[in-house]
Amino acid sequence: MNERFQGTKVLLEESEIPTHWYNIQADMATLPPPPLSPATGQPVTPDELGRIFPPGLLAQEMTRERWIEIPPEVRQVYQLWRPTPLYRARRLEQILDTPAEIWFKYEGVSPAGSHKLNTALAQAYYNKEAGVRRLVTETGAGQWGSALAIASQMFGLSCTVYMVKVSYQQKPYRRILMESYGAQVFASPTDTTQAGRTVLAKDPESQGSLGIAISEAVEVAATRQDTNYALGSVLNHVLLHQTVIGLEAKRQMEKVDRYPDVVIASCGGGSNFGGIAFPFVADKLTQGRKLEVLAVEPAACPTLTRGRWAYDYGDTVGLTPMLQMYTLGHDFMPPSIHAGGLRYHGDSPLVSQLYHDGVIGARAYPQRAVFEAGLTFARAEGILPAPESAHAIRAAIDVALEAKAQGQRKVILFNLSGHGHFDLAAYAEFLEGRLADDTLDEAALAQHLAALPNVGGR
Ligand SMILES: *Cc1c(COP(=O)(O)O)cnc(C)c1O
């Protein structure tokens, strides 16, 4: 290992922004089985998907080509904040008194405050190219909605966001941010869609969920000619766009003569995880490189660690195609933990397949342990992490402490997916001792899993 590097951060030139995204489908021995149509139970046809996605993104969803060129128009907007810095968390290492090196890639420098803008821009671009005029989507904590609002603005599209009602009420600043970028924001469930009305008829007081908001957005996109749907995670093309993170990180680590022993990222729908991890997983798949890869999720929404690998819908009402993935059941309502971006019932089919095949691992943590790690990090490194990102920090700290116990000089890399400046109410709760650890009710989970669609050989 090169000991000469005494610095704290590794920067790249603007010209070193990757020119291509990395498609892991090229290197996987087993691909996930195809998405199934909710109408027929058969593999979805391009026609069906074409009602809500543009051709450019559909092609990326299916292709096994290894390198996909980043359109110059997208790369040019990436230049506003990319390449993002790679840091060595030296002060955190000292506090932990670990022989391990802790490195992190920081995506919170994006105008949206998280990694999500990487794909939002690409999606806006391909929709614009296809003549679409409006994008519609859902958002939980508001991270994805803000990213799509900015991206829509950059490419001259209108943007409508269905925001989970409980977040709409609890996080007014995220809503105002989206509106500042010109988006129209609704508290979901609304009475303006069939899906929303169905939910409200059953429960007029419904606080909403990501699954319900997706149902509303997909319904609007499917019924309007000029409107398409945009998803912030889960799908193959979304993970593809996020690989700019890992490709940059790999180059940055090469510059200081390092290669990680462990790559860690929080995992909601899996795009942040796939984004940093896949360019490294490539070496594991094609060169048999020894590498531990950890997806970190909330104990209250433990999709990989306690979910089932099965076909399930992406939304609550059952309008989306069924994906083969780890799932807690499409009508699973996660406890309202503060890491809103990790409260999704399913997981990316690519991440699910790699987990199923034992290529990657996963850990789940309760939220108090996560906030504790987030504050330890903030006080050491100066950056207040998003609660979602703090899950990765928790795992990185634990791996560094395990390395200390075993006297191992591991190189740890994690993705700091976003900053926590819009999550101060959550930090206040933690600081005032009001934050509780939600546990998942085993009986309720069993009930949701029993309601999985009966397809794919079940
Ligand atoms: C959305 C979000 C995540 C989770 O992202 P996925 O790609 O869905 O796994 C993690 N961190 C931050 C800051 C987020 O906004």
Side-chain angles (χ1 to χ4, degrees):
M1 212 175 289
N2 177 358
E3 289 306 333
R4 277 169 307 166
F5 178 73
Q6 296 297 326
T8 299
K9 61 185 181 302
V10 185
L11 302 175
L12 296 176
E13 299 293 326
E14 224 168 74
S15 60
E16 291 176 283
I17 296 173
T19 55
H20 292 73
W21 292 300
Y22 167 64
N23 177 20
I24 199 167
Q25 295 188 75
D27 294 318
M28 284 169 68
T30 317
L31 288 178
L36 302 181
S37 158
T40 64
Q42 296 301 309
V44 275
T45 61
D47 272 1
E48 280 173 278
L49 288 177
R51 290 165 66 197
I52 58 172
F53 293 120
L57 294 177
L58 283 183
Q60 293 177 352
E61 197 59 23
M62 327 254 182
T63 181
R64 290 197 79 174
E65 206 178 309
R66 182 172 287 109
W67 296 104
I68 310 288
E69 190 182 4
I70 303 177
E73 294 88 339
V74 174
R75 219 167 151 263
Q76 198 172 29
V77 191
Y78 278 174
Q79 287 172 5
L80 289 175
W81 79 100
R82 304 208 72 85
T84 61
L86 175 82
Y87 289 92
R88 179 159 169 198
R90 289 187 186 271
R91 294 170 54 87
L92 181 63
E93 289 171 15
Q94 270 162 21
I95 289 168
L96 301 176
D97 189 24
T98 174
E101 292 187 2
I102 305 175
W103 297 80
F104 67 93
K105 180 80 167 151
Y106 186 38
E107 290 295 306
V109 294
S110 98
S114 81
H115 68 291
K116 289 195 170 74
L117 194 55
N118 296 325
T119 183
L121 282 171
Q123 294 191 39
Y125 168 80
Y126 289 108
N127 275 291
K128 176 79 179 180
E129 198 192 25
V132 168
R133 311 195 43 159
R134 178 165 71 130
L135 289 177
V136 56
T137 196
E138 73 292 332
T139 198
Q143 295 267 24
W144 169 240
S146 341
L148 197 70
I150 296 173
S152 299
Q153 197 57 239
M154 298 274 167
F155 286 103
L157 300 169
S158 320
C159 180
T160 303
V161 182
Y162 289 85
M163 185 173 190
V164 178
K165 190 180 276 171
V166 60
S167 307
Y168 185 94
Q169 287 159 351
Q170 284 177 355
K171 306 205 162 163
Y173 293 127
R174 271 280 169 203
R175 169 172 62 77
I176 296 163
L177 188 66
M178 291 184 263
E179 289 171 348
S180 303
Y181 287 115
Q184 184 183 30
V185 185
F186 293 111
S188 164
T190 71
D191 58 6
T192 63
T193 65
Q194 189 56 48
R197 286 191 292 271
T198 304
V199 171
L200 288 173
K202 268 197 236 160
D203 177 11
E205 301 305 314
S206 170
Q207 290 298 290
S209 73
L210 263 188
I212 294 168
I214 295 175
S215 297
E216 292 205 89
V218 167
E219 179 184 322
V220 171
T223 49
R224 307 270 176 85
Q225 194 66 41
D226 66 345
T227 301
N228 264 354
Y229 173 68
L231 189 62
S233 191
V234 179
L235 297 179
N236 302 349
H237 66 263
V238 183
L239 276 68
L240 173 80
H241 302 152
Q242 293 295 356
T243 59
V244 286
I245 304 171
L247 292 167
E248 283 181 7
K250 215 170 163 182
R251 185 174 271 188
Q252 283 161 312
M253 294 206 82
E254 269 166 25
K255 283 204 164 182
V256 291
D257 211 6
R258 300 289 194 285
Y259 193 92
D261 298 300
V262 192
V263 179
I264 299 171
S266 61
C267 191
S271 77
N272 159 55
F273 171 80
I276 184 127
F278 284 0
F280 294 97
V281 172
D283 301 338
K284 189 167 183 174
L285 295 174
T286 62
Q287 301 163 27
R289 182 114 204 186
K290 222 175 129 272
L291 173 70
E292 197 185 340
V293 194
L294 281 179
V296 191
E297 54 188 22
C301 192
T303 315
L304 291 172
T305 51
R306 287 174 71 189
R308 185 176 297 163
W309 196 55
Y311 269 110
D312 197 8
Y313 299 106
D315 66 328
T316 301
V317 175
L319 299 175
T320 71
M322 290 169 271
L323 302 173
Q324 175 79 30
M325 60 183 175
Y326 279 86
T327 177
L328 297 165
H330 59 275
D331 56 2
F332 173 78
M333 202 74 88
S336 55
I337 52 162
H338 283 290
L342 305 182
R343 287 180 74 228
Y344 184 60
H345 67 273
D347 218 317
S348 139
L350 292 174
V351 170
S352 296
Q353 184 73 46
L354 291 166
Y355 183 69
H356 187 71
D357 292 343
V359 177
I360 62 167
R363 291 190 185 186
Y365 287 106
Q367 67 176 350
R368 275 197 300 217
V370 165
F371 275 84
E372 191 195 352
L375 284 184
T376 300
F377 180 82
R379 290 168 187 180
E381 299 295 329
I383 300 172
L384 188 74
E388 291 85 356
S389 318
H391 284 73
I393 296 172
R394 175 76 266 166
I397 289 178
D398 284 4
V399 171
L401 291 175
E402 288 155 23
K404 175 181 175 179
Q406 292 155 5
Q408 286 174 334
R409 235 196 122 163
K410 275 192 181 165
V411 176
I412 300 165
L413 168 67
F414 75 88
N415 194 31
L416 188 60
S417 46
H419 67 64
H421 296 177
F422 290 96
D423 301 284
L424 295 178
Y427 277 101
E429 270 186 45
F430 179 74
L431 290 168
E432 291 159 17
R434 290 184 283 122
L435 196 67
D437 277 340
D438 272 300
T439 46
L440 186 60
D441 178 3
E442 193 62 55
L445 177 58
Q447 211 174 7
H448 291 298
L449 290 177
L452 288 174
N454 189 17
V455 292
R458 280 188 73 246

